[in-house]
Amino acid sequence: MKKETVLVTGGAGFIGAHVAEELIRQGKKVVVFDDLSGGYKENIPEKAIFIKGSIEDYKLINAVFKKYKFKYVYHLAAYAAEGLSHFIRRFNYQNNLVGSINLINASTNYGVECFVFTSSIAVYGKNQLPMREDLVPAPEDPYGVSKYAVELDLKAAHEMFGLNYIIFRPHNVYGEKQNIWDKYRNVIGIFIRKALKGEPLTIFGDGKQTRAFTYIKDVAPLIARSPETKKAYNQIFNIGAHQPYTVKELAEQIKKIIESPSKVQYLPPRNEVMHAHSDHKKLKKFFDYDPQYDLVHGLKNMIEWVKKEKKRTTKIFKNLETTKNIPAIWMK
């Protein structure tokens, strides 16, 4: 029996690599498409076919779609730095929006059966809690705006061309293979890296911001198998942990597990949504979803992985489009 061929964009990145692994376990032929700007080649499963390229390169995208005739597309490629997106607006929209449109066009033209898109809880902005799929999105930053724009385009593409989609809005996902060397995003990775070295854990504001931190193994398997659930087509789902924690509680828990002497250092607040966690009732109606990992369990797993991970250079975004009102710590 011929294997179904699927595409995973961002498969050298964090969530993408885990989804690609799950798909290979399911017996799929997996093509990973990634430009390695935020991920690493060693994250890509050995059995996957790797194509290095940018989703902004529509000619290459079309050639890849023509060659492989994908049944499903899993679009996970993005530069997911919400706070930094204010200062890299052009890059954000070119990468996260225009690149996505190239994939939607190719999926339409080459008969993809289902387009699975990882959006973000960032689309909700300062909405009521818990955030539900029936709320009107009101994103607060360019990253959230770009994600919501792709959601709207997928809806339009379905209505015009019949392209089926499933949209997931994950939130604060962490775990093994995450990029811990980017100082603008992935707070858990930043805290673990600093705590292991005994450096101060820096928090913007008073640390009372709340997030439902979500372990990767509670989301990647469901995303991978989602297109097999036909009733989920053309639906939007929140996905993630149920229990919110403050950023201060997160920092203290990481210090406790590592037994780190690090101090918590509070910086001036930045422009961000203070409280963000979502409702998952709709997800449970369509899928068998029950997160298995609490925060402590997930953190312990990630910390053990970080201890074994090879050292890399902390990445600095070199092409800022404005520095007005940028946090001072990001300029060091």
Side-chain angles (χ1 to χ4, degrees):
M1 183 176 176
K2 187 178 180 181
K3 288 185 177 182
E4 296 173 343
T5 305
V6 300
L7 174 68
V8 179
T9 69
F14 171 44
I15 301 179
H18 284 271
V19 169
E21 286 180 351
E22 290 292 333
L23 290 165
I24 287 172
R25 289 191 192 102
Q26 294 175 14
K28 302 288 195 296
K29 179 179 179 180
V30 177
V31 176
V32 165
F33 191 92
D34 201 298
D35 65 1
L36 302 181
S37 61
Y40 303 102
K41 194 170 182 179
E42 51 265 44
N43 285 350
I44 302 170
E46 286 185 9
K47 294 182 179 180
I49 299 167
F50 173 50
I51 298 173
K52 184 178 180 181
S54 169
I55 57 174
E56 295 178 46
D57 186 346
Y58 68 91
K59 291 183 179 179
L60 177 58
I61 290 290
N62 285 336
V64 170
F65 273 71
K66 183 177 181 180
K67 179 177 180 180
Y68 288 100
K69 306 294 190 299
F70 301 114
K71 182 173 184 179
Y72 303 137
V73 168
Y74 296 81
H75 179 29
L76 297 108
Y79 186 58
E82 288 181 50
L84 188 65
S85 68
H86 292 285
F87 309 99
I88 54 171
R89 306 176 91 86
R90 182 176 61 252
F91 174 87
N92 169 74
Y93 291 121
Q94 283 286 344
N95 188 68
N96 294 341
L97 177 52
V98 176
S100 298
I101 301 309
N102 291 336
L103 292 165
I104 292 171
N105 279 340
S107 296
T108 298
N109 291 333
Y110 290 95
V112 167
E113 187 173 310
C114 186
F115 189 106
V116 181
F117 175 57
T118 51
S119 182
S120 171
I121 197 177
V123 304
Y124 290 112
K126 296 175 183 176
N127 235 314
Q128 66 188 66
L129 299 172
M131 295 162 173
R132 305 185 316 272
E133 294 90 345
D134 61 348
L135 296 173
V136 178
E140 292 278 312
D141 54 64
Y143 174 72
V145 171
S146 67
K147 287 291 190 178
Y148 186 41
V150 177
E151 290 188 11
L152 293 174
D153 195 78
L154 280 169
K155 183 175 183 292
H158 171 68
E159 292 174 352
M160 178 60 73
F161 308 116
L163 175 64
N164 292 314
Y165 63 84
I166 300 174
I167 294 169
F168 289 103
R169 292 172 176 167
H171 48 89
N172 301 97
V173 184
Y174 69 95
E176 298 89 328
K177 298 187 179 181
Q178 190 165 42
N179 185 342
I180 64 170
W181 305 99
D182 189 327
K183 67 179 182 178
Y184 312 105
R185 57 176 177 163
N186 303 332
V187 64
I188 289 181
I190 293 171
F191 280 178
I192 292 173
R193 179 166 49 82
K194 290 188 173 184
L196 286 170
K197 295 192 292 185
E199 296 177 355
L201 308 189
T202 53
I203 295 177
F204 293 104
D206 58 10
K208 294 180 181 179
Q209 307 96 311
T210 56
R211 302 289 188 269
F213 301 104
T214 305
Y215 187 53
I216 183 63
K217 291 183 180 178
D218 277 331
V219 297
L222 190 152
I223 292 172
R225 69 174 186 268
S226 62
E228 306 300 335
T229 303
K230 307 298 183 183
K231 65 180 180 178
Y233 283 16
N234 312 310
Q235 298 288 332
I236 299 173
F237 302 98
N238 295 328
I239 184 170
H242 303 319
Q243 178 64 47
Y245 293 87
T246 67
V247 175
K248 181 179 179 181
E249 287 172 331
L250 171 69
E252 294 297 337
Q253 189 62 64
I254 289 172
K255 285 175 55 183
K256 181 179 179 181
I257 295 172
I258 293 175
E259 299 181 346
S260 171
S262 295
K263 304 294 184 183
V264 175
Q265 178 183 352
Y266 296 96
L267 303 175
R270 64 178 182 177
N271 182 22
E272 64 177 329
V273 174
M274 279 297 294
H275 304 289
H277 62 275
S278 62
D279 178 275
H280 306 117
K281 291 187 180 68
K282 181 178 179 182
L283 187 71
K284 289 182 177 181
K285 289 180 180 178
F286 286 77
F287 300 98
D288 178 19
Y289 181 69
D290 184 22
Q292 300 298 304
Y293 296 85
D294 61 21
L295 182 63
V296 173
H297 190 176
L299 287 176
K300 286 181 177 179
N301 287 350
M302 184 173 177
I303 288 167
E304 288 307 306
W305 169 77
V306 172
K307 288 178 179 178
K308 301 171 186 175
E309 178 71 349
K310 71 179 184 181
K311 299 294 184 291
R312 303 181 192 271
T313 303
T314 302
K315 292 194 173 184
I316 297 174
F317 201 97
K318 296 180 180 179
N319 298 312
L320 297 173
E321 295 159 25
T322 181
T323 57
K324 184 176 182 180
N325 298 331
I326 197 169
I329 193 171
W330 285 352
M331 297 301 291
K332 294 180 180 178

